[in-house]
Amino acid sequence: MDALPSFYDDLDGFRAEGWRCLAEGVENRRSPFHTPTLATVDAVGRPRLRTVVLRAAETEAGALRFHCDRRSDKAREIAQSGLAALHVYDGRAKLQLRSEGRARLHGDDAVADAAWAGALAMSRVCYGIKPAPGTALAAGDAYALPGEDPEARLGRENFCAVVLTVERMDLLYLDRRGHRRAVFFREGEGWRGSWVAP
Ligand SMILES: Cc1cc2nc3c(=O)[nH]c(=O)nc-3n(C[C@H](O)[C@H](O)[C@H](O)COP(=O)(O)O)c2cc1C
């Protein structure tokens, strides 16, 4: 039988493992943590889900960042509610992570400028799409993208970075010998955590 992971009965270690996986997911395109599912609610409280690319995980600040088009539904929903959640399940690690908190759009500030500066040309180009994301088309190809000129600011006006400041993180590790689940709440600059029934 496999050895139990070091965080199995270590609450602080479990939280650290969650953040380690998120940080690794930013760098490693093959990690399930690279492409979490983002949840928002619409104006009438309907849940909405979609995949995003995780761009930053700041362990100390308890913050996660992804990018989106300001014209998109998700941007509108985050602007309205100020709330979002991210979910990942890593089947190989048998680890589910859910993080919930306050989400803020950054369109014209230093956070957005730095994120845009760090974005690849092939990513930037998506923000120049016309018409806006979600617009009905007469045919599947009835949209246009600007050229991939790395100097172009095309699309910058539509780009925004979203920072999710995590207030609650729920980790679930699956094991035949007994699952382990813990919930962590942000308190000041630290975390208050406890084991919970899986
Ligand atoms: C692997 C993958 C990665 C994606 N990454 C992003 C992303 O980082 N940002 C984004 O806005 N949409 C991303 N998308 C597209 C969204 O999942 C979604 O289809 C689109 O943004 C429209 O969402 P909305 O109408 O809820 O705003 C990605 C989709 C896939 C399949």
Side-chain angles (χ1 to χ4, degrees):
M1 201 170 292
D2 293 345
L4 290 167
S6 60
F7 56 79
Y8 189 69
D9 279 318
D10 172 2
L11 199 56
D12 288 341
F14 202 13
R15 174 170 45 79
E17 177 64 8
W19 283 98
R20 190 196 67 73
C21 290
L22 287 163
E24 191 197 353
V26 173
E27 306 298 334
N28 180 2
R29 297 165 69 90
R30 293 196 188 154
S31 163
F33 289 82
H34 190 62
T35 46
T37 301
L38 166 72
T40 53
V41 287
D42 72 9
V44 296
R46 269 188 297 246
R48 312 284 316 281
L49 301 171
R50 75 290 278 166
T51 311
V52 293
V53 172
L54 185 63
R55 301 292 180 180
E58 294 176 27
T59 307
E60 293 301 315
L64 302 170
R65 174 165 55 81
F66 58 91
H67 302 161
C68 72
D69 193 305
R70 283 192 233 188
R71 302 167 295 174
S72 64
D73 283 1
K74 72 179 81 54
R76 191 173 315 114
E77 289 158 7
I78 288 168
Q80 277 168 357
S81 70
L83 299 169
L86 287 172
H87 162 271
V88 182
Y89 176 59
D90 183 339
R92 291 178 83 177
K94 297 180 291 177
L95 185 67
Q96 173 181 264
L97 180 151
R98 293 185 287 167
S99 47
E100 303 155 12
R102 306 241 142 231
R104 188 174 153 204
L105 300 175
H106 296 264
D108 298 305
D109 58 10
V111 173
D113 286 343
W116 179 258
L120 298 172
M122 59 182 270
S123 300
R124 288 180 177 187
V125 95
C126 302
Y127 298 96
I129 194 169
K130 284 182 187 159
T135 306
L137 304 174
D141 64 353
Y143 63 90
L145 288 166
E148 286 192 31
D149 176 357
E151 298 304 316
R153 284 184 58 83
L154 283 172
R156 173 63 185 88
E157 69 278 14
N158 300 323
F159 171 84
C160 68
V162 180
V163 176
L164 174 67
T165 303
V166 180
E167 294 177 333
R168 182 181 188 279
M169 183 173 280
D170 184 321
L171 289 168
L172 173 65
Y173 173 73
L174 302 178
D175 193 284
R176 275 171 294 167
R177 290 158 285 188
H179 306 326
R180 288 292 181 270
R181 181 178 169 204
V183 180
F184 302 93
F185 294 91
R186 187 77 176 172
E187 277 194 350
E189 307 215 327
W191 297 90
R192 175 173 51 84
S194 68
W195 298 108
V196 298

